[in-house]
Amino acid sequence: MSYEDDITAYHLDILREIGNIGAGNAATALSALLGNKVDMAVPHVKVVSFDEMMDIAGGPENIVVSVFLRIEGEMTGSMFFILSTTQAESFIRTLTNNKSFNFDDIGESELGLSALQEMGNILSGSYLSSLSDFTNLNLYPTVPAIAIDMAGAIISFGLVELSQAGDKVIVIDTELTDDGEKREGANGQFFLLPDPESFKILFRSLGVD
Amino acid sequence: MIKNIIKVGIADSGTVSPPDTIRTSGLGSCVGVILYDSRSQKAGLLHVMLPDSSLARSGEINPAKFADTGIPHLIEQLNLPPSRLKAKIAGGAQMFQFAGQKDTMRIGPRNVDAVKEALSQFKIKIVSEDTGGSSGRTIEFDPVTTSLHIRTVNVGEKVI
């Protein structure tokens, strides 16, 4: 029996609320950073296969910019903040006040990536601190790492822990939309992937068995 | 004849015969293993996620997920004696650089080592490999030419 078999609809509701609170705080932080209104979609909590997990991020070959960090402490897991390259460029232009920034320019891209990494740090920090307040669990995020590559290559790395316990992923997926861009579809995605043993800890911290 | 591309997902395996080709997308720390027999032009692809099935914490395991169980699983699927098979491997990258890396963070190199160990148990020769680095790979194998086409986002394309 796999760990995800114990997860009920009620548990999924609780996870959705965690995504709501966490990403809500991250959206507020992003809004302050960019000086724009940022909207957040209602989080999706899904139990999916590894391949379906890649599809949520646009398919295994979709090129994405990703900030990744591990959550250590009383609960462990992986967190991704995923952006399309055009959206990442747009954020970097705003953050560095360099209107012509693009990833093809090698000399510039280091500063831009560093700015984006810091943004990822602030956003995931606000997500996790609200999660920590809500659950009373001590959480210590690692310093975020950044990569631009295929979604499959990036996300599979965050599945290493999970894949030892089963063939399914429980993902809390929240999309942020930057209002200043007026672009169709999602602009940024947060994935919170708690490690299998962390679900019990998470639910217990909220008084649920 | 219509050429199809057979797609293999993560922690999965599949086999191919001409004129089709076989592909797996977005290999990061995972390793793509091609086993092929030039004589019968049969080939198989395995997308390994973890080095060893002893890491599994649940009862029932998917053999294609692990190097040690995946290689025998693919040999069985091909239904050919191992002595006729050759291998090409790609993947095992280190996608993110962290300070003070734990074992799970080094999963790419560990996967590559485990695949090589499993292949050597069956005395299957690795003809060529493209492993390590820090780039994701999409690989496609043609059983007729026995060439493995590797595409990356950051370091271009190559054929091994």
Side-chain angles (χ1 to χ4, degrees):
Chain A
M1 189 148 130
S2 248
Y3 72 99
E4 74 273 5
D5 297 338
D6 294 332
I7 305 278
T8 64
Y10 182 50
H11 288 132
L12 294 180
D13 277 343
I14 293 168
L15 296 175
R16 196 170 299 122
E17 189 52 25
I18 285 169
N20 222 344
I21 293 170
N25 274 279
T28 309
L30 180 60
S31 173
L33 269 177
L34 298 173
N36 273 341
K37 191 167 167 281
V38 174
D39 288 329
M40 185 191 80
V42 178
H44 296 285
V45 178
K46 294 175 196 142
V47 183
V48 295
S49 71
F50 300 143
D51 285 324
E52 285 163 345
M53 180 67 217
M54 306 310 170
D55 291 336
I56 294 176
E61 284 197 273
N62 183 33
I63 297 167
V64 295
V65 180
S66 171
V67 177
F68 169 74
L69 57 87
R70 282 286 300 166
I71 304 161
E72 308 284 346
E74 290 178 87
M75 180 205 132
T76 59
S78 298
M79 179 170 232
F80 290 95
F81 182 53
I82 303 257
L83 297 166
S84 67
T85 47
T86 44
Q87 185 59 44
E89 280 174 346
S90 154
F91 279 158
I92 291 169
R93 284 178 198 144
T94 310
L95 290 170
T96 60
N97 209 13
N98 173 359
K99 300 282 170 256
S100 62
F101 175 85
N102 83 62
F103 282 120
D104 300 332
D105 191 335
I106 305 293
E108 274 184 359
S109 73
E110 199 166 329
L111 178 72
L113 285 180
S114 164
L116 201 63
Q117 190 166 2
E118 187 49 28
M119 186 179 100
N121 200 9
I122 293 168
L123 299 190
S124 46
S126 52
Y127 192 124
L128 290 176
S129 64
S130 68
L131 174 57
S132 174
D133 288 346
F134 182 55
T135 57
N136 267 319
L137 295 171
N138 291 314
L139 306 178
Y140 308 102
T142 62
V143 175
I146 194 162
I148 306 175
D149 215 308
M150 300 173 192
I154 284 176
I155 290 173
S156 58
F157 191 74
L159 303 180
V160 169
E161 286 290 334
L162 284 161
S163 62
Q164 296 172 23
D167 294 291
K168 293 276 185 196
V169 188
I170 299 173
V171 57
I172 306 169
D173 168 19
T174 319
E175 294 172 358
L176 300 181
T177 318
D178 169 11
D179 231 26
E181 287 294 318
K182 299 282 178 220
R183 198 170 284 147
E184 288 294 307
N187 286 338
Q189 273 176 302
F190 270 107
F191 294 142
L192 177 63
L193 303 166
D195 289 345
E197 356 16 290
S198 290
F199 286 99
K200 269 198 183 121
I201 298 165
L202 195 57
F203 294 135
R204 202 172 297 144
S205 74
L206 298 167
V208 180
D209 272 328
Chain B
M1 265 195 291
I2 300 161
K3 280 193 185 191
N4 291 311
I5 299 170
I6 294 164
K7 287 182 183 153
V8 175
I10 184 165
D12 195 8
S13 63
T15 61
V16 66
S17 293
D20 297 345
T21 56
I22 194 163
R23 174 199 282 185
T24 196
S25 301
L27 287 168
S29 56
C30 299
V31 177
V33 184
I34 304 286
L35 293 182
Y36 66 97
D37 170 33
S38 337
R39 194 150 32 118
S40 66
Q41 298 193 326
K42 255 179 98 174
L45 190 161
L46 171 73
H47 186 138
V48 167
M49 211 174 170
L50 292 168
D52 199 289
S53 56
S54 64
L55 292 166
R57 280 180 246 140
S58 65
E60 231 174 282
I61 67 155
N62 161 15
K65 188 156 65 178
F66 306 95
D68 66 327
T69 49
I71 301 287
H73 176 70
L74 184 59
I75 293 170
E76 203 172 297
Q77 273 186 307
L78 284 165
N79 197 19
L80 288 168
S83 58
R84 274 174 58 185
L85 296 172
K86 287 181 181 139
K88 293 192 178 187
I89 65 174
Q94 188 89 347
M95 296 307 296
F96 293 95
Q97 305 301 326
F98 284 100
Q101 293 184 336
K102 288 205 315 185
D103 238 19
T104 46
M105 299 294 180
R106 283 192 62 258
I107 196 74
R110 284 173 61 205
N111 278 336
V112 174
D113 290 348
V115 162
K116 288 182 177 171
E117 170 63 29
L119 288 172
S120 78
Q121 297 224 331
F122 289 95
K123 299 191 170 57
I124 296 172
K125 190 183 164 218
I126 298 172
V127 176
S128 57
E129 67 172 295
D130 179 40
T131 54
S134 57
S135 276
R137 296 167 171 92
T138 284
I139 61 170
E140 187 173 330
F141 184 79
D142 183 338
V144 177
T145 61
T146 74
S147 62
L148 182 64
H149 192 98
I150 299 162
R151 198 174 71 81
T152 66
V153 175
N154 303 313
V155 292
E157 306 198 9
K158 67 163 99 167
V159 177
I160 64 167

